[in-house]
């Protein structure tokens, strides 16, 4: 059966209240649409563990720091419904902006130090917008489990702290990053790359792999790791690394000395498309 498309908050609340009453477990996969195999792997996990799977599709204006990025963000509802159908999704919740924000919101989630670095630093207000819409979606759908990609590691860290700090009764599951055969992380923004940008976009993953190799072979000076990784990025017009940082996996603060698990994260501009990726790395065990 194709998924049921629901566009109102009252509608999805009523539908989920009835399935909850029958004892079903609810899995939520929040997305902004333009669905690809990365999103599908979140749905697969939800399908495996929950009796009712809800995918939300909402391009959240609150989390866009650049109006042209919001305007150009792909919106492909019909194709998205096909992806959800193929994954056995039960309900697609696709509200309009007016449905989610009938009045200009006054309250928003303060994410504290979690937004000080990486994308938080370069996209002011982004994670505040993410945390606010995720809290709204959790309040609206009341899932048992919500699924988020490790591709957006800082977002996942924000969501984990959000539910801990506000006692939201939901389990948060992180799902591994799905990649193209050459290693490029799948992203809705990849569709914007021309053939040359697509070829060069792999520089981001290569830089992260370089960092991981150095960390795993015992390099402990984060500045040195970053210098080496940065040097792998070809000097080409239109290709530039916005940031490449080594941070701790909980609060996403930069570390100077690597003596435990870290996240190496980067953002790369390929033309006017901004791509992000990250790898979790561990130094060798010392006995
Ligand atoms: P988005 O539609 O970009 O907001 O992404 C919705 C969810 O899908 C987020 O939890 C992302 O982290 C996740 N996601 C996006 N790309 C990937 C990927 N390549 N692999 C795994 N999860 C992903």
């Amino acid at each position: 059966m194709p998924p049921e498309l629901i566009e109102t908050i009252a509608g999805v609340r009523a539908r989920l209240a009835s399935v909850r009453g029958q004892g079903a477990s609810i899995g939520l996969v929040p997305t902004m649409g333009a669905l690809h195999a990365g999103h599908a792997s979140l749905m697969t996990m939800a399908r495996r563990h929950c009796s009712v799977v809800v995918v939300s599709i909402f391009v959240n204006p609150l989390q866009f720091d650049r109006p042209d990025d919001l305007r150009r963000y792909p919106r492909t509802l019909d194709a998205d419904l096909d992806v959800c159908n193929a994954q056995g999704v039960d309900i697609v919740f696709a509200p309009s902006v007016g449905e989610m924000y009938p009045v200009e919101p006054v309250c928003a989630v303060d994410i504290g130090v979690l937004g000080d670095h990486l994308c938080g630093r370069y996209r002011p207000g982004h994670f505040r917008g993410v945390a606010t819409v995720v809290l709204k979606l959790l309040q609206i759908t009341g899932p048992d489990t919500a699924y988020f990609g490790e591709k957006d590691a800082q977002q996942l860290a924000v969501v984990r702290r959000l539910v801990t700090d506000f006692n939201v009764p939901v389990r948060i599951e992180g799902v591994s990053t799905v990649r193209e055969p050459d290693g490029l992380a799948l992203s809705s923004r990849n569709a914007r790359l021309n053939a040359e940008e697509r070829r060069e976009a792999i520089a981001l993953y290569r830089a992260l792999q370089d960092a991981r190799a150095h960390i795993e072979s015992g390099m402990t000076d984060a500045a040195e790791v970053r210098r080496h990784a940065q040097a792998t990025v070809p000097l080409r017009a239109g290709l530039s690394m916005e940031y490449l940082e080594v941070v701790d996996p909980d609060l996403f603060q930069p570390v100077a000395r690597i003596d435990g698990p870290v996240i190496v994260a980067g953002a790369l501009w390929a033309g006017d498309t901004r791509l992000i990726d990250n790898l979790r790395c561990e130094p060798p065990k010392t006995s």
Side-chain angles (χ1 to χ4, degrees):
M1 257 212 321
E4 185 180 345
L5 175 62
I6 303 181
E7 293 173 320
T8 66
I9 294 170
V12 79
R13 277 215 164 111
R15 183 77 180 79
L16 292 176
S18 111
V19 302
R20 207 174 289 115
Q22 293 157 14
S25 63
I26 298 169
L28 174 68
V29 179
T31 80
M32 297 205 298
L35 301 179
H36 50 63
H39 299 110
S41 83
L42 273 60
M43 297 174 206
T44 306
M45 288 286 271
R47 183 69 289 162
R48 198 172 295 154
H49 299 287
C50 306
S51 34
V52 171
V53 176
V54 184
V55 170
S56 64
I57 298 180
F58 180 61
V59 182
N60 174 36
L62 235 54
Q63 70 189 69
F64 284 79
D65 51 319
R66 291 178 300 123
D68 68 308
D69 191 28
L70 174 60
R71 194 171 32 78
R72 291 172 63 214
Y73 201 85
R75 290 160 173 89
T76 57
L77 185 61
D78 288 342
D80 292 348
L81 290 173
D82 290 341
V83 174
C84 293
N85 190 20
Q87 298 303 319
V89 168
D90 300 291
I91 295 168
V92 172
F93 174 50
S96 65
V97 173
E99 179 71 9
M100 286 294 274
Y101 301 111
V103 290
E104 186 77 18
V106 174
C107 300
V109 177
D110 179 350
I111 50 133
V113 298
L114 278 168
D116 286 354
H117 301 283
L118 312 181
C119 291
R121 175 160 168 227
Y122 289 92
R123 299 186 66 187
H126 169 66
F127 287 116
R128 181 183 169 89
V130 168
T132 302
V133 81
V134 169
L135 184 57
K136 281 166 76 76
L137 290 167
L138 294 173
Q139 298 278 42
I140 291 165
T141 59
D144 297 278
T145 311
Y147 296 84
F148 293 85
E150 290 174 355
K151 147 118 187 335
D152 300 285
Q154 193 172 13
Q155 167 173 288
L156 178 55
V158 166
V159 172
R160 285 194 195 285
R161 281 313 290 250
L162 170 76
V163 305
T164 301
D165 292 351
F166 291 142
N167 303 91
V168 185
V170 61
R171 201 175 57 233
I172 301 300
E173 284 290 340
V175 180
S176 321
T177 303
V178 178
R179 300 179 178 281
E180 299 280 5
D182 67 351
L184 179 71
L186 297 193
S187 162
S188 306
R189 290 187 169 88
N190 293 356
R192 289 185 193 166
L193 300 169
N194 65 31
E196 190 188 346
E197 290 163 352
R198 168 64 189 84
R199 265 194 312 279
E200 295 188 339
I202 193 58
L204 175 54
Y205 183 57
R206 295 239 170 91
L208 298 178
Q209 279 184 307
D210 179 90
R212 179 159 67 185
H214 281 112
I215 292 170
E216 288 181 353
S217 64
M219 192 181 278
T220 54
D221 179 353
E224 202 182 347
V225 168
R226 292 172 59 204
R227 237 184 344 265
H228 279 282
Q230 181 75 51
T232 67
V233 179
L235 293 172
R236 299 251 166 76
L239 199 65
S240 74
M241 199 62 106
E242 184 177 77
Y243 68 74
L244 195 148
E245 294 277 354
V246 182
V247 297
D248 77 81
D250 298 320
L251 291 179
F252 276 63
Q253 301 300 301
V255 302
R257 200 186 136 72
I258 302 164
D259 53 13
V262 290
I263 306 272
V264 182
L268 178 85
W269 284 93
D272 58 4
T273 302
R274 182 179 180 276
L275 303 171
I276 60 168
D277 199 354
N278 69 89
L279 290 175
R280 194 184 164 95
C281 310
E282 282 203 44
K285 300 255 179 304
T286 49
S287 47

